[in-house]
Amino acid sequence: MPAEQVLDELRALRTGDLPTHGGRTLAYVYDSGRAGLDELAAQAHALASATNGLDPTAFPSLLRMENDIVAAAAALLGGGQATVGSVTSGGTESCMLAVHAARAARPDVDRPKVVLASTAHAAFHKAAHYFGIEAVTVPVDPATFLADPAAMAAAIDDRTVLVVVSAPSYAHGVVDPVPEVAAAAGERGVRCHVDACIGGWVLPYFRALGEPVPDFDLSVPGVTSLSVDLHKYAYCPKGTSVLLHADASLRRSQFFASAAWPGYTMLNSTMQSTRSGGPLAAAWAVLNHLGDNGYRSLAQQVLSAVRTLRSGIGAIEGLRIQGDPQSTLLSVVADDSVADPGFDVFTVADEMTERGWYLQPQFGFESSPPNLHLTVTASNHGSEPALLADLASAVDAARRSGPVSLPEELTAAIAGLDPSGLTSEQFAGLLAMAGLEGAGTLKRMAEINAMLGAAPPGLRERLLVEFLGVMYTPTV
Ligand SMILES: Cc1ncc(COP(=O)(O)O)c(C=O)c1O
């Protein structure tokens, strides 16, 4: 195919995607709204995309850029002279590497455990699953959604290799009590990781703007590692995160070397081996271009947007913000002070989709009822009134259509399913029963979400894995 035709086809495919710019997609994407920033990043990416971080001696530019980025992250996040780190492909890789490093440093521990506040990102469950570690989840405070330091301390035992808290948690946007938990871990000689993947590049600027941000970074005694994603609030293209360690001795077990084959000695700082210099160079360019002043003014914009949205949403009859979010993330529930709000938040999400906004459904979990997640970014600044007006009208529309009700036979069928033995046929039967055979093309997700919400988490995981298998099946 001629180049132009290939690109036309790609452009046509992209029209079916959620918008990545303009603040209408309130999850997955982070838009600074700054003119020219994407172009700069794309040019920097192109300059380095064919290089390979597999061997930093062959591509010293990558080594230099990575050390620059790690130094910038350490300076922003309370690191000291001894702080070191690595640039990874994203938050999940940083979190997984923190778990791996902690486990690998304790070969003496049989059947290691990682102690997590129950709001910790699923990346830690993925790490536990991949690395054969037991994840011990400690329920958070049911009203504030904050980690409970006493309960976390009580969960630490001789098999614990890592304790994890978030700054902030993705689901509720609250910053865990890091000093208390880190102190408890430190007393037991256990590592403590702060997952600041989403908050790390914005909370320090909020603090500089006078916001009361709780202590959460590497300056807190007992914190041994911290993750911060550049592809979130540093507004860099996808594919970069930083994992910091308080000192080099903590990082050593993260690295991997193998001379056990006849090729080059494989020497990797992260999970990837061949590693494109593209994302790294793009991030380096964006960080240098925006600089402290740029991030401060972007933080000012997002702070203003999140405040306006928070109070505006609280004023919409029937909606409420959960907890006391101190960052850029909001979790919106149907107000339970009203006996029967008469609508379903997942229907509100569908109504918002029809109005051109994406809000992310979150299922009920512990004390958190089904809710909608909003990742607010700098590009939301200025269009808050439009979002709030559409949200109010989406709630009205959801009230008019009433709560989603699932057919009784469907809820009975879900209750009767065993996640460990679920077959593709059972899955297909369930979709048929729900009238959802064309699941991939459905516009209204409320019914699917209601069905998934009715399934216990273990079954939901299995159903979604089945769904993934159906989606990732080529049709040609
Ligand atoms: C707190 C937190 N940790 C980890 C991650 C995982 O990051 P990624 O999606 O870049 O792998 C996220 C993503 O939103 C997050 O919010």
Side-chain angles (χ1 to χ4, degrees), residues 25-61:
T25 304
L26 289 116
Y28 310 123
V29 297
Y30 300 80
D31 178 19
S32 71
R34 286 292 164 103
L37 197 65
D38 282 359
E39 290 72 16
L40 169 68
Q43 279 183 33
H45 192 290
L47 275 171
S49 64
T51 59
N52 193 343
L54 168 58
D55 184 349
T57 64
F59 301 100
S61 67

PDB file of all heavy atoms in Angstrom, residues 25-61:
ATOM      1  N   THR A  25     -12.225  12.868  27.588  1.00  0.00           N
ATOM      2  CA  THR A  25     -12.008  11.495  28.037  1.00  0.00           C
ATOM      3  C   THR A  25     -11.371  11.571  29.420  1.00  0.00           C
ATOM      4  O   THR A  25     -10.211  11.955  29.542  1.00  0.00           O
ATOM      5  CB  THR A  25     -11.097  10.750  27.047  1.00  0.00           C
ATOM      6  OG1 THR A  25     -11.696  10.826  25.742  1.00  0.00           O
ATOM      7  CG2 THR A  25     -10.904   9.300  27.428  1.00  0.00           C
ATOM      8  N   LEU A  26     -12.151  11.204  30.451  1.00  0.00           N
ATOM      9  CA  LEU A  26     -11.667  11.430  31.822  1.00  0.00           C
ATOM     10  C   LEU A  26     -11.098  10.159  32.448  1.00  0.00           C
ATOM     11  O   LEU A  26     -11.339   9.841  33.622  1.00  0.00           O
ATOM     12  CB  LEU A  26     -12.787  12.061  32.651  1.00  0.00           C
ATOM     13  CG  LEU A  26     -13.005  13.511  32.188  1.00  0.00           C
ATOM     14  CD1 LEU A  26     -14.367  13.712  31.598  1.00  0.00           C
ATOM     15  CD2 LEU A  26     -12.726  14.504  33.296  1.00  0.00           C
ATOM     16  N   ALA A  27     -10.333   9.435  31.669  1.00  0.00           N
ATOM     17  CA  ALA A  27      -9.546   8.270  32.108  1.00  0.00           C
ATOM     18  C   ALA A  27      -8.621   7.964  30.939  1.00  0.00           C
ATOM     19  O   ALA A  27      -8.871   8.447  29.817  1.00  0.00           O
ATOM     20  CB  ALA A  27     -10.438   7.069  32.388  1.00  0.00           C
ATOM     21  N   TYR A  28      -7.588   7.214  31.209  1.00  0.00           N
ATOM     22  CA  TYR A  28      -6.661   6.721  30.169  1.00  0.00           C
ATOM     23  C   TYR A  28      -5.728   7.764  29.541  1.00  0.00           C
ATOM     24  O   TYR A  28      -4.628   7.430  29.123  1.00  0.00           O
ATOM     25  CB  TYR A  28      -7.393   6.036  28.992  1.00  0.00           C
ATOM     26  CG  TYR A  28      -8.379   4.993  29.372  1.00  0.00           C
ATOM     27  CD1 TYR A  28      -9.722   5.085  28.978  1.00  0.00           C
ATOM     28  CD2 TYR A  28      -7.992   3.888  30.127  1.00  0.00           C
ATOM     29  CE1 TYR A  28     -10.641   4.114  29.321  1.00  0.00           C
ATOM     30  CE2 TYR A  28      -8.914   2.920  30.485  1.00  0.00           C
ATOM     31  CZ  TYR A  28     -10.240   3.037  30.086  1.00  0.00           C
ATOM     32  OH  TYR A  28     -11.146   2.093  30.431  1.00  0.00           O
ATOM     33  N   VAL A  29      -6.176   9.003  29.384  1.00  0.00           N
ATOM     34  CA  VAL A  29      -5.357   9.978  28.662  1.00  0.00           C
ATOM     35  C   VAL A  29      -5.119  11.226  29.513  1.00  0.00           C
ATOM     36  O   VAL A  29      -5.920  11.560  30.389  1.00  0.00           O
ATOM     37  CB  VAL A  29      -5.996  10.377  27.306  1.00  0.00           C
ATOM     38  CG1 VAL A  29      -6.092   9.183  26.388  1.00  0.00           C
ATOM     39  CG2 VAL A  29      -7.357  11.017  27.495  1.00  0.00           C
ATOM     40  N   TYR A  30      -4.013  11.887  29.245  1.00  0.00           N
ATOM     41  CA  TYR A  30      -3.585  13.056  30.027  1.00  0.00           C
ATOM     42  C   TYR A  30      -3.188  14.130  29.031  1.00  0.00           C
ATOM     43  O   TYR A  30      -2.189  13.992  28.333  1.00  0.00           O
ATOM     44  CB  TYR A  30      -2.393  12.677  30.927  1.00  0.00           C
ATOM     45  CG  TYR A  30      -2.763  11.569  31.892  1.00  0.00           C
ATOM     46  CD1 TYR A  30      -2.787  10.239  31.473  1.00  0.00           C
ATOM     47  CD2 TYR A  30      -3.151  11.862  33.192  1.00  0.00           C
ATOM     48  CE1 TYR A  30      -3.181   9.227  32.328  1.00  0.00           C
ATOM     49  CE2 TYR A  30      -3.547  10.846  34.062  1.00  0.00           C
ATOM     50  CZ  TYR A  30      -3.558   9.540  33.619  1.00  0.00           C
ATOM     51  OH  TYR A  30      -3.955   8.537  34.467  1.00  0.00           O
ATOM     52  N   ASP A  31      -4.006  15.163  28.965  1.00  0.00           N
ATOM     53  CA  ASP A  31      -3.775  16.197  27.956  1.00  0.00           C
ATOM     54  C   ASP A  31      -3.397  17.500  28.646  1.00  0.00           C
ATOM     55  O   ASP A  31      -4.162  18.017  29.456  1.00  0.00           O
ATOM     56  CB  ASP A  31      -5.055  16.356  27.124  1.00  0.00           C
ATOM     57  CG  ASP A  31      -4.932  17.443  26.079  1.00  0.00           C
ATOM     58  OD1 ASP A  31      -3.793  17.833  25.748  1.00  0.00           O
ATOM     59  OD2 ASP A  31      -5.984  17.911  25.597  1.00  0.00           O
ATOM     60  N   SER A  32      -2.220  17.998  28.290  1.00  0.00           N
ATOM     61  CA  SER A  32      -1.787  19.266  28.892  1.00  0.00           C
ATOM     62  C   SER A  32      -2.519  20.440  28.258  1.00  0.00           C
ATOM     63  O   SER A  32      -2.599  21.511  28.836  1.00  0.00           O
ATOM     64  CB  SER A  32      -0.279  19.451  28.675  1.00  0.00           C
ATOM     65  OG  SER A  32      -0.023  19.724  27.304  1.00  0.00           O
ATOM     66  N   GLY A  33      -3.004  20.234  27.047  1.00  0.00           N
ATOM     67  CA  GLY A  33      -3.634  21.343  26.329  1.00  0.00           C
ATOM     68  C   GLY A  33      -2.624  22.344  25.774  1.00  0.00           C
ATOM     69  O   GLY A  33      -3.016  23.363  25.218  1.00  0.00           O
ATOM     70  N   ARG A  34      -1.327  22.050  25.934  1.00  0.00           N
ATOM     71  CA  ARG A  34      -0.299  22.992  25.477  1.00  0.00           C
ATOM     72  C   ARG A  34      -0.032  22.827  23.981  1.00  0.00           C
ATOM     73  O   ARG A  34       0.345  21.723  23.543  1.00  0.00           O
ATOM     74  CB  ARG A  34       1.031  22.730  26.190  1.00  0.00           C
ATOM     75  CG  ARG A  34       1.068  23.178  27.609  1.00  0.00           C
ATOM     76  CD  ARG A  34       1.007  24.698  27.670  1.00  0.00           C
ATOM     77  NE  ARG A  34       0.672  25.097  29.030  1.00  0.00           N
ATOM     78  CZ  ARG A  34       1.554  25.571  29.902  1.00  0.00           C
ATOM     79  NH1 ARG A  34       2.798  25.713  29.544  1.00  0.00           N
ATOM     80  NH2 ARG A  34       1.161  25.907  31.115  1.00  0.00           N
ATOM     81  N   ALA A  35      -0.167  23.893  23.249  1.00  0.00           N
ATOM     82  CA  ALA A  35       0.105  23.843  21.809  1.00  0.00           C
ATOM     83  C   ALA A  35       1.572  23.495  21.584  1.00  0.00           C
ATOM     84  O   ALA A  35       2.449  24.002  22.287  1.00  0.00           O
ATOM     85  CB  ALA A  35      -0.215  25.193  21.177  1.00  0.00           C
ATOM     86  N   GLY A  36       1.820  22.618  20.644  1.00  0.00           N
ATOM     87  CA  GLY A  36       3.195  22.300  20.249  1.00  0.00           C
ATOM     88  C   GLY A  36       3.853  21.196  21.060  1.00  0.00           C
ATOM     89  O   GLY A  36       4.890  20.670  20.650  1.00  0.00           O
ATOM     90  N   LEU A  37       3.264  20.836  22.197  1.00  0.00           N
ATOM     91  CA  LEU A  37       3.942  19.850  23.050  1.00  0.00           C
ATOM     92  C   LEU A  37       3.970  18.458  22.395  1.00  0.00           C
ATOM     93  O   LEU A  37       4.987  17.767  22.424  1.00  0.00           O
ATOM     94  CB  LEU A  37       3.261  19.775  24.423  1.00  0.00           C
ATOM     95  CG  LEU A  37       4.100  19.117  25.512  1.00  0.00           C
ATOM     96  CD1 LEU A  37       5.341  19.938  25.817  1.00  0.00           C
ATOM     97  CD2 LEU A  37       3.279  18.921  26.786  1.00  0.00           C
ATOM     98  N   ASP A  38       2.857  18.083  21.789  1.00  0.00           N
ATOM     99  CA  ASP A  38       2.805  16.779  21.113  1.00  0.00           C
ATOM    100  C   ASP A  38       3.814  16.708  19.978  1.00  0.00           C
ATOM    101  O   ASP A  38       4.454  15.680  19.755  1.00  0.00           O
ATOM    102  CB  ASP A  38       1.425  16.549  20.494  1.00  0.00           C
ATOM    103  CG  ASP A  38       0.413  16.134  21.532  1.00  0.00           C
ATOM    104  OD1 ASP A  38       0.800  16.009  22.704  1.00  0.00           O
ATOM    105  OD2 ASP A  38      -0.754  15.947  21.152  1.00  0.00           O
ATOM    106  N   GLU A  39       3.921  17.808  19.255  1.00  0.00           N
ATOM    107  CA  GLU A  39       4.831  17.823  18.102  1.00  0.00           C
ATOM    108  C   GLU A  39       6.274  17.686  18.581  1.00  0.00           C
ATOM    109  O   GLU A  39       7.063  16.938  18.005  1.00  0.00           O
ATOM    110  CB  GLU A  39       4.662  19.114  17.297  1.00  0.00           C
ATOM    111  CG  GLU A  39       3.342  19.232  16.544  1.00  0.00           C
ATOM    112  CD  GLU A  39       2.131  19.472  17.431  1.00  0.00           C
ATOM    113  OE1 GLU A  39       2.309  19.862  18.613  1.00  0.00           O
ATOM    114  OE2 GLU A  39       1.001  19.252  16.958  1.00  0.00           O
ATOM    115  N   LEU A  40       6.608  18.384  19.656  1.00  0.00           N
ATOM    116  CA  LEU A  40       7.958  18.281  20.216  1.00  0.00           C
ATOM    117  C   LEU A  40       8.232  16.829  20.621  1.00  0.00           C
ATOM    118  O   LEU A  40       9.283  16.260  20.296  1.00  0.00           O
ATOM    119  CB  LEU A  40       8.083  19.200  21.445  1.00  0.00           C
ATOM    120  CG  LEU A  40       9.349  18.983  22.269  1.00  0.00           C
ATOM    121  CD1 LEU A  40      10.590  19.426  21.504  1.00  0.00           C
ATOM    122  CD2 LEU A  40       9.266  19.716  23.614  1.00  0.00           C
ATOM    123  N   ALA A  41       7.278  16.246  21.335  1.00  0.00           N
ATOM    124  CA  ALA A  41       7.468  14.874  21.809  1.00  0.00           C
ATOM    125  C   ALA A  41       7.618  13.912  20.627  1.00  0.00           C
ATOM    126  O   ALA A  41       8.468  13.015  20.648  1.00  0.00           O
ATOM    127  CB  ALA A  41       6.289  14.469  22.688  1.00  0.00           C
ATOM    128  N   ALA A  42       6.803  14.120  19.595  1.00  0.00           N
ATOM    129  CA  ALA A  42       6.852  13.220  18.437  1.00  0.00           C
ATOM    130  C   ALA A  42       8.207  13.326  17.731  1.00  0.00           C
ATOM    131  O   ALA A  42       8.777  12.327  17.291  1.00  0.00           O
ATOM    132  CB  ALA A  42       5.708  13.531  17.479  1.00  0.00           C
ATOM    133  N   GLN A  43       8.719  14.547  17.645  1.00  0.00           N
ATOM    134  CA  GLN A  43      10.027  14.726  16.987  1.00  0.00           C
ATOM    135  C   GLN A  43      11.137  14.071  17.801  1.00  0.00           C
ATOM    136  O   GLN A  43      12.015  13.403  17.256  1.00  0.00           O
ATOM    137  CB  GLN A  43      10.334  16.210  16.840  1.00  0.00           C
ATOM    138  CG  GLN A  43       9.624  16.831  15.645  1.00  0.00           C
ATOM    139  CD  GLN A  43      10.022  18.301  15.487  1.00  0.00           C
ATOM    140  OE1 GLN A  43      11.144  18.687  15.780  1.00  0.00           O
ATOM    141  NE2 GLN A  43       9.099  19.112  15.030  1.00  0.00           N
ATOM    142  N   ALA A  44      11.091  14.277  19.112  1.00  0.00           N
ATOM    143  CA  ALA A  44      12.113  13.669  19.975  1.00  0.00           C
ATOM    144  C   ALA A  44      12.008  12.147  19.906  1.00  0.00           C
ATOM    145  O   ALA A  44      13.026  11.438  19.834  1.00  0.00           O
ATOM    146  CB  ALA A  44      11.935  14.156  21.412  1.00  0.00           C
ATOM    147  N   HIS A  45      10.769  11.651  19.902  1.00  0.00           N
ATOM    148  CA  HIS A  45      10.541  10.206  19.813  1.00  0.00           C
ATOM    149  C   HIS A  45      11.162   9.664  18.533  1.00  0.00           C
ATOM    150  O   HIS A  45      11.897   8.660  18.549  1.00  0.00           O
ATOM    151  CB  HIS A  45       9.030   9.940  19.857  1.00  0.00           C
ATOM    152  CG  HIS A  45       8.661   8.505  20.063  1.00  0.00           C
ATOM    153  ND1 HIS A  45       8.853   7.541  19.096  1.00  0.00           N
ATOM    154  CD2 HIS A  45       8.109   7.865  21.120  1.00  0.00           C
ATOM    155  CE1 HIS A  45       8.425   6.369  19.556  1.00  0.00           C
ATOM    156  NE2 HIS A  45       7.983   6.539  20.789  1.00  0.00           N
ATOM    157  N   ALA A  46      10.900  10.361  17.430  1.00  0.00           N
ATOM    158  CA  ALA A  46      11.413   9.894  16.138  1.00  0.00           C
ATOM    159  C   ALA A  46      12.947   9.909  16.109  1.00  0.00           C
ATOM    160  O   ALA A  46      13.572   9.016  15.527  1.00  0.00           O
ATOM    161  CB  ALA A  46      10.851  10.757  15.013  1.00  0.00           C
ATOM    162  N   LEU A  47      13.535  10.903  16.768  1.00  0.00           N
ATOM    163  CA  LEU A  47      15.001  10.991  16.769  1.00  0.00           C
ATOM    164  C   LEU A  47      15.652   9.790  17.444  1.00  0.00           C
ATOM    165  O   LEU A  47      16.799   9.456  17.152  1.00  0.00           O
ATOM    166  CB  LEU A  47      15.445  12.271  17.503  1.00  0.00           C
ATOM    167  CG  LEU A  47      15.475  13.547  16.678  1.00  0.00           C
ATOM    168  CD1 LEU A  47      15.703  14.760  17.582  1.00  0.00           C
ATOM    169  CD2 LEU A  47      16.599  13.466  15.641  1.00  0.00           C
ATOM    170  N   ALA A  48      14.956   9.182  18.372  1.00  0.00           N
ATOM    171  CA  ALA A  48      15.589   8.115  19.169  1.00  0.00           C
ATOM    172  C   ALA A  48      14.895   6.767  19.057  1.00  0.00           C
ATOM    173  O   ALA A  48      15.335   5.804  19.687  1.00  0.00           O
ATOM    174  CB  ALA A  48      15.633   8.538  20.642  1.00  0.00           C
ATOM    175  N   SER A  49      13.828   6.664  18.247  1.00  0.00           N
ATOM    176  CA  SER A  49      13.011   5.443  18.317  1.00  0.00           C
ATOM    177  C   SER A  49      13.758   4.197  17.847  1.00  0.00           C
ATOM    178  O   SER A  49      13.417   3.084  18.241  1.00  0.00           O
ATOM    179  CB  SER A  49      11.713   5.610  17.537  1.00  0.00           C
ATOM    180  OG  SER A  49      12.003   5.788  16.179  1.00  0.00           O
ATOM    181  N   ALA A  50      14.773   4.348  17.023  1.00  0.00           N
ATOM    182  CA  ALA A  50      15.480   3.157  16.544  1.00  0.00           C
ATOM    183  C   ALA A  50      16.648   2.764  17.449  1.00  0.00           C
ATOM    184  O   ALA A  50      17.277   1.721  17.249  1.00  0.00           O
ATOM    185  CB  ALA A  50      15.982   3.386  15.117  1.00  0.00           C
ATOM    186  N   THR A  51      16.931   3.578  18.454  1.00  0.00           N
ATOM    187  CA  THR A  51      18.022   3.219  19.375  1.00  0.00           C
ATOM    188  C   THR A  51      17.546   2.124  20.315  1.00  0.00           C
ATOM    189  O   THR A  51      16.348   1.843  20.412  1.00  0.00           O
ATOM    190  CB  THR A  51      18.461   4.433  20.221  1.00  0.00           C
ATOM    191  OG1 THR A  51      17.318   4.892  20.961  1.00  0.00           O
ATOM    192  CG2 THR A  51      19.000   5.553  19.355  1.00  0.00           C
ATOM    193  N   ASN A  52      18.502   1.531  21.028  1.00  0.00           N
ATOM    194  CA  ASN A  52      18.144   0.387  21.861  1.00  0.00           C
ATOM    195  C   ASN A  52      18.787   0.499  23.245  1.00  0.00           C
ATOM    196  O   ASN A  52      20.013   0.417  23.384  1.00  0.00           O
ATOM    197  CB  ASN A  52      18.611  -0.903  21.165  1.00  0.00           C
ATOM    198  CG  ASN A  52      18.005  -2.135  21.798  1.00  0.00           C
ATOM    199  OD1 ASN A  52      17.494  -2.094  22.923  1.00  0.00           O
ATOM    200  ND2 ASN A  52      18.048  -3.241  21.080  1.00  0.00           N
ATOM    201  N   GLY A  53      17.925   0.644  24.245  1.00  0.00           N
ATOM    202  CA  GLY A  53      18.415   0.751  25.624  1.00  0.00           C
ATOM    203  C   GLY A  53      18.986  -0.544  26.163  1.00  0.00           C
ATOM    204  O   GLY A  53      19.461  -0.588  27.301  1.00  0.00           O
ATOM    205  N   LEU A  54      18.926  -1.599  25.356  1.00  0.00           N
ATOM    206  CA  LEU A  54      19.517  -2.878  25.764  1.00  0.00           C
ATOM    207  C   LEU A  54      20.992  -2.707  26.114  1.00  0.00           C
ATOM    208  O   LEU A  54      21.506  -3.366  27.010  1.00  0.00           O
ATOM    209  CB  LEU A  54      19.339  -3.888  24.617  1.00  0.00           C
ATOM    210  CG  LEU A  54      20.094  -5.202  24.653  1.00  0.00           C
ATOM    211  CD1 LEU A  54      19.757  -5.995  25.922  1.00  0.00           C
ATOM    212  CD2 LEU A  54      19.732  -6.043  23.440  1.00  0.00           C
ATOM    213  N   ASP A  55      21.666  -1.816  25.380  1.00  0.00           N
ATOM    214  CA  ASP A  55      23.087  -1.608  25.670  1.00  0.00           C
ATOM    215  C   ASP A  55      23.382  -0.112  25.772  1.00  0.00           C
ATOM    216  O   ASP A  55      23.600   0.562  24.755  1.00  0.00           O
ATOM    217  CB  ASP A  55      23.943  -2.236  24.564  1.00  0.00           C
ATOM    218  CG  ASP A  55      25.429  -2.128  24.891  1.00  0.00           C
ATOM    219  OD1 ASP A  55      25.785  -1.393  25.844  1.00  0.00           O
ATOM    220  OD2 ASP A  55      26.231  -2.768  24.185  1.00  0.00           O
ATOM    221  N   PRO A  56      23.357   0.424  26.984  1.00  0.00           N
ATOM    222  CA  PRO A  56      23.558   1.873  27.145  1.00  0.00           C
ATOM    223  C   PRO A  56      24.964   2.325  26.786  1.00  0.00           C
ATOM    224  O   PRO A  56      25.183   3.525  26.579  1.00  0.00           O
ATOM    225  CB  PRO A  56      23.256   2.122  28.626  1.00  0.00           C
ATOM    226  CG  PRO A  56      23.344   0.796  29.297  1.00  0.00           C
ATOM    227  CD  PRO A  56      23.108  -0.258  28.262  1.00  0.00           C
ATOM    228  N   THR A  57      25.909   1.392  26.661  1.00  0.00           N
ATOM    229  CA  THR A  57      27.244   1.830  26.229  1.00  0.00           C
ATOM    230  C   THR A  57      27.246   2.071  24.723  1.00  0.00           C
ATOM    231  O   THR A  57      28.031   2.857  24.202  1.00  0.00           O
ATOM    232  CB  THR A  57      28.354   0.812  26.584  1.00  0.00           C
ATOM    233  OG1 THR A  57      28.122  -0.404  25.858  1.00  0.00           O
ATOM    234  CG2 THR A  57      28.387   0.514  28.074  1.00  0.00           C
ATOM    235  N   ALA A  58      26.338   1.389  24.015  1.00  0.00           N
ATOM    236  CA  ALA A  58      26.240   1.600  22.564  1.00  0.00           C
ATOM    237  C   ALA A  58      25.468   2.880  22.262  1.00  0.00           C
ATOM    238  O   ALA A  58      25.658   3.499  21.220  1.00  0.00           O
ATOM    239  CB  ALA A  58      25.552   0.396  21.919  1.00  0.00           C
ATOM    240  N   PHE A  59      24.553   3.258  23.173  1.00  0.00           N
ATOM    241  CA  PHE A  59      23.722   4.454  22.963  1.00  0.00           C
ATOM    242  C   PHE A  59      23.804   5.342  24.206  1.00  0.00           C
ATOM    243  O   PHE A  59      22.860   5.419  24.999  1.00  0.00           O
ATOM    244  CB  PHE A  59      22.270   4.034  22.678  1.00  0.00           C
ATOM    245  CG  PHE A  59      22.147   3.144  21.473  1.00  0.00           C
ATOM    246  CD1 PHE A  59      22.028   1.760  21.605  1.00  0.00           C
ATOM    247  CD2 PHE A  59      22.181   3.689  20.191  1.00  0.00           C
ATOM    248  CE1 PHE A  59      21.943   0.942  20.491  1.00  0.00           C
ATOM    249  CE2 PHE A  59      22.099   2.870  19.073  1.00  0.00           C
ATOM    250  CZ  PHE A  59      21.982   1.490  19.218  1.00  0.00           C
ATOM    251  N   PRO A  60      24.964   6.001  24.367  1.00  0.00           N
ATOM    252  CA  PRO A  60      25.143   6.797  25.594  1.00  0.00           C
ATOM    253  C   PRO A  60      24.135   7.929  25.738  1.00  0.00           C
ATOM    254  O   PRO A  60      23.903   8.402  26.847  1.00  0.00           O
ATOM    255  CB  PRO A  60      26.581   7.327  25.474  1.00  0.00           C
ATOM    256  CG  PRO A  60      27.024   7.037  24.092  1.00  0.00           C
ATOM    257  CD  PRO A  60      26.159   5.978  23.521  1.00  0.00           C
ATOM    258  N   SER A  61      23.515   8.328  24.625  1.00  0.00           N
ATOM    259  CA  SER A  61      22.498   9.396  24.745  1.00  0.00           C
ATOM    260  C   SER A  61      21.360   8.910  25.651  1.00  0.00           C
ATOM    261  O   SER A  61      20.793   9.683  26.429  1.00  0.00           O
ATOM    262  CB  SER A  61      21.945   9.769  23.370  1.00  0.00           C
ATOM    263  OG  SER A  61      21.199   8.695  22.820  1.00  0.00           O
TER     264      SER A  61
END
